[in-house]
Amino acid sequence: MIPSRLFRQHSRNRQTALAIIPLANEAATFDAYRLLQYHGISPEHLAIVGQGYSSPARVGLLEPTQIAVDQARRFLIGFATMGFLVGSALVLAYHLGLINPLGFNSLLLIPGVVAIAAVLGGVVGGLIGFLGEGSTVGVYHHHLRQGGYLLMIEGSQELVTLGEQVLKPYATPKAF
């Protein structure tokens, strides 16, 4: 099952599950699609991604760099906020006489700590996004570039589990 963060326009309260099954060629993909319909999964819960069908952009499958940038932005904002709080606490501690830095303006501490925290947050967030979720999406994009297809199943958890069980023998192992 794939986290919804990999897709555009997702809701934080998503009530549906999603599975992506990589398949080697168009014939296998179409056969799998028909097999799922035979097992009672309606076409409104299915999508085929690949040449001649839906594009990754159309179904909202993000690029790995987009995921990394989004994650970096989230971490940057969070770390910068924490840096502001830490910097403010250090300035307050200096003015209360709890710490005594050697001859520098304590008000410069806030922007300095915020800048350092923001850069650190951006780097950490980008790495987590690119090496985490971005690498998963990268595998799917690579599979599509190699001429493969993706069969996506979205619906209730039971429906997605049924689809995964039905298609398990047909999935392309090299895509994982």
Side-chain angles (χ1 to χ4, degrees), residues 20-25 28-29 32 140 143 149 151 163-176:
I20 300 176
I21 294 91
L23 296 154
N25 56 46
T29 304
Y140 291 127
H143 183 72
Y149 291 83
L151 183 56
E164 287 176 322
Q165 290 171 348
V166 167
L167 295 180
K168 194 170 192 171
Y170 300 100
T172 305
K174 69 178 183 177
F176 294 106

Side-chain angles (χ1 to χ4, degrees), residues 23-34 48-53 143 147-151:
L23 296 154
N25 56 46
E26 183 178 7
T29 304
F30 195 67
D31 287 343
Y33 186 88
R34 285 188 293 176
I48 297 175
V49 180
Q51 187 174 4
Y53 295 94
H143 183 72
Y149 291 83
L150 301 176
L151 183 56

Side-chain angles (χ1 to χ4, degrees), residues 117-140:
V119 168
L120 183 64
V123 169
V124 168
L127 286 173
I128 288 173
F130 193 71
L131 298 176
E133 297 162 355
S135 64
T136 303
V137 172
V139 169
Y140 291 127

Side-chain angles (χ1 to χ4, degrees), residues 20-71:
I20 300 176
I21 294 91
L23 296 154
N25 56 46
E26 183 178 7
T29 304
F30 195 67
D31 287 343
Y33 186 88
R34 285 188 293 176
L35 183 64
L36 289 172
Q37 286 182 326
Y38 176 78
H39 280 86
I41 299 176
S42 69
E44 63 205 30
H45 296 288
L46 303 172
I48 297 175
V49 180
Q51 187 174 4
Y53 295 94
S54 295
S55 68
R58 181 165 180 191
V59 295
L61 188 62
L62 295 174
E63 291 288 331
T65 53
Q66 290 172 309
I67 292 173
V69 167
D70 289 346
Q71 194 77 339

